[in-house]
């Protein structure tokens, strides 16, 4: 009897813990590409990784940088910033976090086979002062430093060495390493498993250094490509949250009131990339030259695209047709500059004729079919629009994992991409896809081989200009340069409502980063 009485408080405590434990099943259309935190600048992979890995700073609820693995920072000069590291932090394997891990992670993220060098742009070196202090040595004053390093994930040096994963995964070469399938961070959730195209499973890190304001103890991310299946899973209770609600379902769900909706825009622009660097386009009918090198051809492609028709018929009104390559909500955006060209097929045909392509030409168009809102349908519509000016594009649709590897290998002469501006500043976007490609941060996602000397010059000035009005004027000039030279074909800025069961309470994030720590489940 006495032993039974002694067990009662323990059983009561276990019952209480079980009652408070809140699993959450989160669904969206595409899977992560990798768990390697320095390999792919891919939003879904980043959003999952942000639950596991942390940076020196993090994004607050109102989108400002705040302390994370660093407790404070001090500018010793304009080009030397001292970061005091948080003491007592443990990686998920129980090993301590120290300055050695920061130095190691900097060397790893800067390796050229990854696509995340932008987040350490302007940093020349990371110097260890002691076990809990590092200095960031800058090339020049770097206005976006604290925002950039939010996504500079810190890995364990010892864990990486032990598991032969000190090098960043070369995703485009289909390479696998230990870190691409396993994870060991300091963040609020620990990885349990990843089964590609099925689920990523995590559990709350009870030893996390910070207090988790939510109550999600188990988090499952479920990639469900089919929009009807995704919505049906939400309505049946098989998933708790969908962060990419299809436009065709939004108004119906809003009217019937069976689920809770969070409306909001996403800081993401969807656009087409043209290979402007190759001497000849792959699989094109034009031999010996590249039509996209001619601004007239690029302008004609822009003029043929009917963005309002895409908004009306495909997006059901849930998009913002755009002319700029950055969306509302990002520093540098100006609505007055964001008026798309109206379709003008006669002018487009005339421009093609002037460029020597009166009969048009043929080439493939590579498009994802599980990444952006109605991505394949948009591409299908665009194919029909370009056909009206004689440009015959053969649609090649594939899951984003395949699509991404293809264009990163330089095998896509013409392809769709979407870009979310995680730093909320135009530089991050322009530097990644607009600057001439280098082995570093400049042009690290420029797989269309855009190379414009004037734009490069502007981006270099923006990187280091400390005066805010002057810097914003340079951003404006760069955005106009991109727009007026038709260096890309912007389609629209996404609007991205979330849908969830009535018992789920979370914060909509314009960067499309669902965060379990801001979430409670009843």
């Amino acid at each position: 009897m006495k032993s039974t009485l002694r067990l009662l408080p323990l059983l009561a405590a276990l019952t209480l813990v079980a009652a408070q434990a809140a699993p959450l099943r989160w669904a969206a259309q595409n899977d992560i590409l990798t768990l390697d935190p320095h390999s792919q600048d891919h939003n879904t992979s980043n959003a999952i990784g942000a639950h596991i890995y942390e940076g020196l700073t993090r994004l607050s609820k109102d989108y400002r940088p705040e302390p994370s693995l660093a407790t404070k920072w001090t500018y010793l000069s304009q080009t030397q910033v001292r970061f005091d590291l948080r003491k007592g932090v443990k990686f998920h394997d129980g090993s301590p976090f120290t300055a050695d891990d920061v130095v190691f992670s900097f060397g790893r993220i800067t390796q050229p086979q990854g696509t995340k060098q932008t987040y350490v742009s302007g940093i020349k070196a990371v110097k260890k002062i002691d076990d809990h202090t590092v200095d960031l040595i800058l090339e020049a004053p770097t206005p976006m430093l604290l925002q950039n390093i939010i996504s500079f994930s810190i890995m364990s040096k010892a864990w990486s060495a032990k598991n032969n994963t000190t090098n960043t995964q070369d995703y485009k070469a289909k390479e696998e390493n230990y870190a691409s399938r396993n994870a060991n961070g300091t963040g609020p959730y620990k990885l349990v498993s990843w089964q590609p195209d099925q689920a990523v499973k995590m559990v709350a890190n009870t030893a996390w250094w910070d207090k988790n304001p939510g109550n999600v103890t188990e988090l499952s991310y479920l990639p469900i490509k089919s929009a009807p299946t995704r919505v049906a899973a939400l309505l049946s209770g098989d998933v708790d949250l969908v962060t990419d609600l299809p436009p065709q379902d939004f108004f119906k769900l809003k009217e019937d009131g069976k689920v809770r909706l969070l409306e909001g825009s996403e800081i993401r622009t969807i656009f087409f990339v043209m290979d402007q660097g190759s001497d000849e386009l792959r699989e094109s009918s034009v031999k010996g030259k590249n039509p996209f090198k001619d601004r007239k051809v690029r302008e004609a492609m822009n003029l043929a695209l009917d963005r309002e028709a895409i908004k009306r018929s495909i997006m059901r009104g849930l998009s913002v047709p755009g002319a700029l390559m950055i969306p509302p909500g990002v520093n540098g955006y100006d609505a007055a500059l964001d008026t798309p060209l109206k379709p003008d097929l006669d002018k487009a045909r005339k421009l093609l004729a002037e460029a020597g392509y009166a009969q048009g030409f043929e080439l493939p168009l590579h498009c994802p079919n599980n990444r952006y809102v109605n991505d394949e349908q948009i591409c299908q519509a665009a194919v029909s629009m370009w056909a009206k000016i004689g440009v015959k594009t053969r649609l090649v649709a594939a899951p984003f994992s395949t699509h991404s590897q293809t264009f990163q290998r330089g095998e896509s002469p013409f392809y769709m991409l979407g870009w979310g501006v995680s730093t909320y500043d135009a530089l991050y976007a322009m530097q990644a896809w607009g600057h001439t490609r280098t082995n570093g941060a400049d042009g690290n996602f420029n797989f269309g081989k855009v190379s414009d000397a004037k734009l490069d010059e502007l981006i270099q000035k923006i990187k280091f200009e400390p005066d805010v009005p002057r810097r914003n004027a340079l951003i404006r000039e760069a955005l106009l340069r991109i727009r007026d030279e038709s260096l890309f074909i912007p389609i629209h800025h996404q609007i991205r409502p979330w849908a969830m069961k009535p018992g789920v309470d979370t914060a909509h994030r314009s960067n499309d980063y669902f965060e379990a720590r801001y979430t409670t489940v009843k």
Side-chain angles (χ1 to χ4, degrees):
M1 179 65 72
K2 287 183 180 179
S3 63
T4 303
L5 289 173
R6 283 197 298 268
L7 283 172
L8 287 176
L10 176 60
L11 291 171
L14 290 173
T15 301
L16 179 61
V17 169
Q20 291 175 334
L24 182 114
R25 297 157 300 176
W26 157 34
Q29 64 178 326
N30 77 308
D31 200 4
I32 64 173
L33 301 181
T34 178
L35 286 164
D36 188 322
H38 301 147
S39 177
Q40 291 297 296
D41 199 6
H42 168 244
N43 199 77
T44 307
S45 302
N46 291 345
I48 294 294
H51 287 83
I52 300 168
Y53 289 99
E54 296 176 294
L56 298 179
T57 57
R58 70 183 181 190
L59 205 62
S60 70
K61 210 165 187 178
D62 60 352
Y63 306 112
R64 298 180 183 277
E66 65 179 14
S68 183
L69 291 180
T71 56
K72 70 173 186 176
W73 42 89
T74 307
Y75 279 78
L76 304 181
S77 72
Q78 287 189 318
T79 56
Q80 185 173 1
V81 191
R82 178 155 294 173
F83 284 79
D84 292 2
L85 304 181
R86 194 175 297 277
K87 296 179 181 178
V89 175
K90 302 282 188 183
F91 285 97
H92 295 161
D93 65 357
S95 61
F97 157 67
T98 71
D100 291 330
D101 302 307
V102 181
V103 175
F104 163 75
S105 296
F106 176 73
R108 195 175 188 278
I109 198 174
T110 54
Q111 294 172 4
Q113 67 270 29
T115 62
K116 301 184 79 169
Q117 301 96 330
T118 308
Y119 296 117
V120 291
S121 176
I123 303 174
K124 187 162 57 176
V126 177
K127 181 180 178 183
K128 175 183 176 180
I129 305 303
D130 58 40
D131 280 349
H132 293 95
T133 312
V134 295
D135 283 1
L136 270 56
I137 311 301
L138 310 180
E139 297 174 24
T142 306
M144 292 304 297
L145 177 67
L146 297 179
Q147 289 93 327
N148 285 344
I149 61 175
I150 287 168
S151 298
F152 167 32
S153 299
I154 306 302
M155 291 181 73
S156 165
K157 178 181 179 181
W159 180 83
S160 298
K162 175 185 175 182
N163 294 294
N164 193 30
T165 189
T166 56
N167 288 330
T168 301
Q169 173 197 19
D170 190 346
Y171 181 80
K172 66 181 180 296
K174 300 184 179 181
E175 178 186 88
E176 294 283 349
N177 64 20
Y178 191 77
S180 66
R181 296 286 177 169
N182 301 273
N184 178 39
T186 59
Y189 290 85
K190 296 181 180 182
L191 177 72
V192 174
S193 63
W194 172 33
Q195 295 176 286
D197 298 318
Q198 295 183 47
V200 181
K201 295 185 177 181
M202 294 174 274
V203 294
N205 176 17
T206 56
W208 190 36
W209 58 266
D210 199 5
K211 176 177 169 54
N212 191 332
N215 71 342
V216 176
T217 52
E218 298 175 19
L219 177 63
S220 298
Y221 174 72
L222 310 170
I224 303 175
K225 176 183 174 182
S226 164
T229 304
R230 208 158 57 247
V231 173
L234 177 66
L235 293 173
S236 68
D238 290 334
V239 302
D240 306 300
L241 169 78
V242 169
T243 54
D244 55 357
L245 185 66
Q248 54 268 33
D249 294 296
F250 172 75
F251 296 103
K252 181 175 65 176
L253 292 177
K254 188 173 184 179
E255 185 176 333
D256 67 28
K258 292 179 181 177
V259 297
R260 184 164 175 251
L261 297 175
L262 286 182
E263 300 181 44
S265 296
E266 184 186 3
I267 49 163
R268 179 178 303 278
T269 301
I270 310 299
F271 54 96
F272 292 108
V273 180
M274 299 164 281
D275 176 354
Q276 295 167 51
S278 298
D279 292 331
E280 181 179 299
L281 295 176
R282 290 175 63 97
E283 301 178 53
S284 169
S285 62
V286 178
K287 304 302 178 184
K289 59 181 179 177
N290 179 350
F292 289 148
K293 286 179 179 285
D294 192 321
R295 186 190 61 78
K296 290 181 178 180
V297 174
R298 301 195 300 269
E299 184 180 350
M301 300 294 283
N302 264 292
L303 283 167
L305 204 63
D306 189 339
R307 294 160 176 86
E308 287 294 338
I310 291 172
K311 175 182 178 179
R312 182 177 62 252
S313 62
I314 298 174
M315 302 303 292
R316 310 300 202 274
L318 294 179
S319 66
V320 179
L324 291 182
M325 286 287 290
I326 62 166
V330 169
N331 180 57
Y333 179 80
D334 185 343
L337 307 179
D338 198 31
T339 303
L341 293 171
K342 292 184 178 180
D344 190 334
L345 301 184
D346 289 339
K347 184 177 180 181
R349 294 187 193 99
K350 181 180 178 183
L351 286 168
L352 284 177
E354 290 175 359
Y357 305 99
Q359 305 305 313
F361 54 92
E362 299 179 15
L363 80 165
L365 171 67
H366 290 253
C367 185
N369 59 15
N370 69 340
R371 177 63 188 99
Y372 312 114
V373 180
N374 291 338
D375 43 17
E376 186 174 3
Q377 296 95 312
I378 293 169
C379 287
Q380 289 169 343
V383 166
S384 298
M385 293 170 187
W386 288 318
K388 293 176 182 178
I389 62 170
V391 178
K392 298 177 182 177
T393 50
R394 185 180 73 260
L395 181 58
V396 181
F400 191 79
S401 55
T402 302
H403 176 69
S404 180
Q405 289 175 337
T406 302
F407 71 69
Q408 288 187 45
R409 290 195 300 265
E411 297 171 4
S412 299
F414 194 25
Y415 64 94
M416 173 186 272
L417 188 64
W419 200 260
V421 189
S422 57
T423 65
Y424 290 81
D425 183 87
L427 172 64
Y428 161 72
M430 295 189 296
Q431 183 182 6
W433 44 245
H435 194 286
T436 300
R437 186 165 173 79
T438 66
N439 285 328
D442 294 337
N444 72 310
F445 226 87
N446 182 358
F447 299 106
K449 307 186 186 90
V450 173
S451 186
D452 183 273
K454 178 62 176 176
L455 180 59
D456 289 352
E457 179 186 351
L458 289 167
I459 290 171
Q460 291 301 323
K461 289 178 179 178
I462 293 164
K463 283 165 63 176
F464 303 117
E465 176 54 65
D467 182 80
V468 172
R470 280 202 294 266
R471 186 174 184 275
N472 286 339
L474 290 167
I475 290 174
R476 176 188 174 91
E477 188 176 350
L479 290 171
L480 286 173
R481 177 75 180 178
I482 295 166
R483 187 194 72 179
D484 296 344
E485 289 295 314
S486 296
L487 297 180
F488 298 89
I489 304 175
I491 307 165
H492 56 232
H493 315 301
Q494 282 194 165
I495 295 174
R496 191 102 160 181
W498 294 3
M500 62 210 71
K501 290 163 65 173
V504 176
D505 184 23
T506 193
H508 186 278
R509 308 293 282 165
S510 62
N511 59 359
D512 197 31
Y513 272 38
F514 166 72
E515 293 191 56
R517 67 187 176 105
Y518 290 141
T519 307
T520 56
V521 180
K522 297 176 183 178

